[in-house]
Amino acid sequence: MAKELVSRDQVRVEDTWDLSAMYESKDAWEADIKFIEEKLAEISKYQGKVCESAENLLSVLETSAITEEKFELAFNYAERIFDQDQGNTEHQSMSQRMFALYAKISAATAFVSPEILACDAAVIDGFIASKPELELYRLQIKEIQRLKAHTLSAEMEKVVAMTQEMANTPSEVYSAFKNVDMTFPAIKDENGEEVVLTDGRFVPMLMSADRRVREDAFKAYYGVYEKYLNTMASIYNGEVKQHIFNSRVRNYSSNLEAAVDANNVSPQVYDNLVKTVNANLDKLHAYVSLRKKCLGVDELHMYDIYTSMIPDAAKTVKYEEAQKTICEALAVLGDDYVDLLKEGFANRWIDVYENKGKRGGAYSATAYGVHPYMLLNYTDTFDDMFTTAHEMGHSMHSYYSNQAQPYIYSGYKIFVAEVASTCNEILLLEYLLKNCTDKKEKAYLLNHYLDSFKGTVFRQTQFAEFEKTTNEMVEAGENLNSENLCKLYKEINEKYYGPDMISDDEIAYEWARIPHFYYNFYVYQYATSFCAAVAIADMILKEGAPAVERYKKFLSSGCTDAPVELLKIAGVDLTTPAPIEAALAKMGEIIKELEKII
């Protein structure tokens, strides 16, 4: 009998998140939606009058901030309750209402930025001087002015805002199709028992020491995707096209430029990453060669890339053990940091295990004024412990930033979002290596370190290169289809993994299962953040308190400066290739260290 996933009502309450910190009831949520609608009506009265006086400017900015803060809370509640069981139609409706309300807010406030931009900067400076309460909004106004060349007239901004609900359709269809409608077959596990494949179980199956299980899982899983490649290609093509509409209407030269400029990052940072990683593919090729040697196989296949190179060293890590180890490893960040970790573990910030209809993967999300929430799909693996540490890094970043900054500056840019999470992972790994006395266990940990480089720097840059190329194809007038997407993906895969890897036919379908391709040039930031985190963790372990103080200042900075500048507070300069080159040099050193041990 195949092992089926439990339904949501069968999950222990202690293993679920407690959403009551946001709202005690749906009625309270509805009340906030009504409040938001009322505030939108207030804002609309200022259309054409935003800069008539300092009082008007202050009122518009204050009311907009209050409205957005309430929306963030309502949105987070709806999305968290939806993600715990995406098959629940009531929760689907709540989620859809939030996206509709977001579009309404965008349309209703679309006139604000254009009117501020139309106002002489000297006049605004005079307003701030005459009304001290406006000083709070100086940085916000400066950011609006930075985007002047890409801000439209009030009327056009309203039209563009009205397209947002429609623009979400490709990602909504993808999510529903992938997480709810797609079903996978059962395969036999190591014990000969039938287990139904799911998104959450796929990678753990590929981590199996039994090669037959890995191959069966790989072929069965991608066999399902193969059936739907045309559908997936159409959905992705629609996603890219809606970004092209937005980038062109805002006078950007490309989707890439529009996406990174939203975070005040130059496209050169993106291109620099791809270029530097491509110049260091020899490190990944050496890793692949070492993996082939360790596994003792004549041919290394893509289904061999997740299993440990060190046989019989993998161990299960129960959730309770993971919590304890994470707290010990991150003690270098101070008692206040560890106390917050313990509070999160003890007070149901986290939805721990997989259930039927639950969104796959893992994330941390937060709304201002309440603690962060984390979604996991914990399966007692070593990697799951690192995922927990990773998401806790996001949660701590949000917590520190929310505590230190007013709402309008609390949300850090996506570019720095992966730094704190990855820093946690690296500190955990360094702690385990330091306290390891067993040669085989040390080899296993070094293998994990290498896998982190492979998965976060090389794999995410591989995704970034694919995403950049596919966007350029559509921008040049070419439609994306299953044939050209599969061909491109396989070619890039072969380049990255090199001659010692067999790029199986099925790997050409992998693009169809990557949800981050619907996040609009997100993935490159995993790679840049990993390299920054390597540097920060190294400083924390070598310098101690001074580096920790700098790091916490960075965590508390929200969006008070350009993200590249904020990273400089922590001691990292990503305007140069140096952090990327240094991180990849470290990978080379780890490969040599592991070669000596084995």
Side-chain angles (χ1 to χ4, degrees):
M1 187 73 177
K3 296 177 185 175
E4 295 283 352
L5 285 174
V6 298
S7 59
R8 182 69 183 180
D9 57 9
Q10 294 174 303
V11 182
R12 289 194 325 158
V13 172
E14 307 94 285
D15 297 325
T16 63
W17 48 29
D18 178 10
L19 301 181
S20 66
M22 289 190 280
Y23 293 100
E24 289 286 351
S25 66
K26 189 181 176 186
D27 286 345
W29 178 74
E30 293 281 6
D32 264 4
I33 293 175
K34 184 180 178 183
F35 175 87
I36 291 166
E37 298 273 9
E38 291 169 352
K39 290 298 177 184
L40 290 180
E42 286 182 29
I43 293 169
S44 68
K45 295 175 183 177
Y46 289 95
Q47 186 161 2
K49 305 173 184 177
V50 173
C51 291
E52 276 189 359
S53 66
E55 288 75 15
N56 280 15
L57 180 59
L58 177 62
S59 183
V60 166
L61 293 175
E62 282 183 340
T63 309
S64 295
I66 291 167
T67 305
E68 289 165 12
E69 184 178 341
K70 282 289 186 186
F71 173 76
E72 182 179 270
L73 184 66
F75 177 86
N76 267 274
Y77 180 75
E79 290 306 289
R80 302 299 74 77
I81 204 169
F82 173 51
D83 284 350
Q84 68 191 29
D85 181 4
Q86 295 191 343
N88 185 306
T89 53
E90 180 187 358
H91 299 163
Q92 287 176 12
S93 177
M94 289 172 67
S95 173
Q96 288 163 0
R97 280 180 67 191
M98 284 296 94
F99 281 103
L101 183 56
Y102 175 72
K104 188 173 183 179
I105 292 170
S106 297
T109 58
F111 66 89
V112 178
S113 291
E115 289 193 31
I116 290 173
L117 286 173
C119 186
D120 190 277
V123 173
I124 290 178
D125 287 341
F127 286 163
I128 295 173
S130 67
K131 203 155 193 69
E133 297 98 316
L134 276 169
E135 186 62 43
L136 172 65
Y137 299 94
R138 185 186 289 275
L139 282 175
Q140 184 181 14
I141 292 169
K142 183 180 177 183
E143 179 66 5
I144 291 170
Q145 291 169 335
R146 182 182 72 81
L147 295 170
K148 183 172 185 176
H150 307 289
T151 304
L152 310 174
S153 68
E155 186 179 356
M156 280 299 295
E157 285 290 347
K158 186 173 182 178
V159 171
V160 172
M162 288 169 65
T163 69
Q164 289 308 303
E165 188 176 1
M166 176 178 61
N168 287 323
T169 300
S171 61
E172 286 177 357
V173 172
Y174 175 80
S175 180
F177 189 66
K178 183 175 183 288
N179 294 319
V180 180
D181 293 343
M182 284 184 78
T183 56
F184 298 90
I187 67 163
K188 290 184 177 179
D189 65 12
E190 296 88 344
N191 301 316
E193 294 182 18
E194 285 203 334
V195 179
V196 175
L197 275 173
T198 66
D199 268 332
R201 290 172 178 167
F202 177 55
V203 172
M205 287 283 190
L206 293 187
M207 295 169 70
S208 171
D210 188 327
R211 201 179 196 203
R212 193 270 309 162
V213 171
R214 301 199 300 269
E215 184 175 1
D216 286 355
F218 184 83
K219 291 184 175 178
Y221 184 83
Y222 283 119
V224 174
Y225 274 94
E226 185 180 13
K227 296 176 185 177
Y228 302 112
L229 286 174
N230 290 325
T231 298
M232 290 298 201
S234 294
I235 297 170
Y236 181 55
N237 194 45
E239 175 73 7
V240 175
K241 283 183 173 179
Q242 65 98 356
H243 288 305
I244 287 177
F245 168 80
N246 278 305
S247 64
R248 287 180 177 170
V249 81
R250 294 197 177 281
N251 303 311
Y252 283 102
S253 63
S254 67
N255 282 358
L256 172 59
E257 184 189 12
V260 299
D261 192 46
N263 291 314
N264 201 1
V265 174
S266 166
Q268 291 177 334
V269 174
Y270 194 105
D271 293 334
N272 173 62
L273 170 71
V274 174
K275 182 180 178 181
T276 307
V277 168
N278 269 269
N280 283 274
L281 286 177
D282 60 307
K283 311 293 192 307
L284 184 58
H285 297 170
Y287 162 86
V288 168
S289 297
L290 180 60
R291 172 170 282 276
K292 182 178 179 182
K293 178 183 175 183
C294 288
L295 294 180
V297 293
D298 293 331
E299 289 185 346
L300 190 74
H301 288 260
M302 290 306 302
Y303 50 77
D304 297 320
I305 203 69
Y306 286 101
T307 190
S308 175
M309 294 193 286
I310 313 302
D312 305 320
K315 60 178 182 179
T316 59
V317 183
K318 294 293 184 184
Y319 183 57
E320 293 73 18
E321 181 188 350
Q323 295 176 51
K324 181 174 180 290
T325 304
I326 289 167
C327 288
E328 290 171 353
L330 300 181
V332 293
L333 294 175
D335 292 342
D336 60 328
Y337 196 96
V338 174
D339 287 345
L340 281 172
L341 292 175
K342 291 177 178 177
E343 182 181 339
F345 287 134
N347 293 321
R348 293 177 60 201
W349 291 12
I350 307 169
D351 205 84
V352 184
Y353 299 109
E354 190 177 16
N355 59 252
K356 239 178 238 181
K358 183 177 174 181
R359 173 176 165 152
Y363 65 68
S364 170
T366 189
Y368 194 76
V370 297
H371 63 70
Y373 283 91
M374 285 168 50
L375 179 138
L376 300 175
N377 282 277
Y378 202 91
T379 57
D380 294 345
T381 67
F382 192 76
D383 273 1
D384 286 338
M385 175 171 65
F386 277 86
T387 297
T388 305
H390 179 101
E391 298 306 334
M392 263 301 187
H394 285 306
S395 294
M396 294 301 100
H397 193 175
S398 297
Y399 188 94
Y400 275 98
S401 190
N402 285 358
Q403 289 293 307
Q405 302 297 334
Y407 168 73
I408 56 173
Y409 303 125
S410 62
Y412 46 84
K413 297 289 188 181
I414 293 173
F415 184 78
V416 297
E418 297 300 331
V419 174
S421 52
T422 309
C423 189
N424 268 12
E425 285 196 73
I426 293 168
L427 289 172
L428 173 58
L429 193 44
E430 292 288 357
Y431 169 82
L432 293 171
L433 281 167
K434 181 182 177 182
N435 291 279
C436 175
T437 55
D438 181 77
K439 183 178 176 182
K440 193 169 189 178
E441 185 177 343
K442 184 174 184 181
Y444 180 80
L445 292 168
L446 290 171
N447 165 49
H448 184 86
Y449 214 157
L450 290 177
D451 284 349
S452 296
F453 275 97
K454 178 265 297 179
T456 312
V457 181
F458 286 100
R459 181 170 167 80
Q460 300 307 321
T461 306
Q462 175 188 349
F463 289 166
E465 190 169 339
F466 174 81
E467 187 173 4
K468 184 174 187 285
T469 306
T470 54
N471 275 258
E472 288 171 346
M473 288 164 66
V474 180
E475 286 167 338
E478 186 175 354
N479 274 321
L480 301 177
N481 56 54
S482 60
E483 184 179 352
N484 58 24
L485 286 168
C486 290
K487 181 176 182 291
L488 173 66
Y489 194 87
K490 192 173 184 185
E491 286 173 353
I492 294 175
N493 194 82
E494 288 171 341
K495 177 178 70 170
Y496 271 69
Y497 286 95
D500 280 339
M501 173 66 78
I502 302 295
S503 284
D504 305 89
D505 290 342
E506 291 87 352
I507 202 62
Y509 317 146
E510 186 177 41
W511 61 267
R513 84 170 184 92
I514 308 300
H516 291 77
F517 290 146
Y518 293 80
Y519 291 8
N520 195 23
F521 291 101
Y522 186 102
V523 292
Y524 85 101
Q525 296 159 126
Y526 284 113
T528 53
S529 293
F530 186 93
C531 295
V534 168
I536 291 169
D538 186 60
M539 286 183 276
I540 287 169
L541 294 173
K542 287 179 179 175
E543 296 179 36
V548 171
E549 186 178 348
R550 291 196 304 269
Y551 180 54
K552 286 180 180 173
K553 185 178 179 183
F554 158 74
L555 292 181
S556 303
S557 296
C559 60
T560 55
D561 204 342
V564 171
E565 297 305 312
L566 293 179
L567 275 172
K568 290 177 183 177
I569 295 172
V572 177
D573 185 359
L574 276 173
T575 62
T576 74
I580 301 166
E581 291 172 342
L584 295 178
K586 185 174 180 68
M587 181 185 182
E589 292 168 6
I590 296 168
I591 290 172
K592 290 175 183 176
E593 187 176 356
L594 183 55
E595 283 175 334
K596 288 178 184 177
I597 293 178
I598 60 173

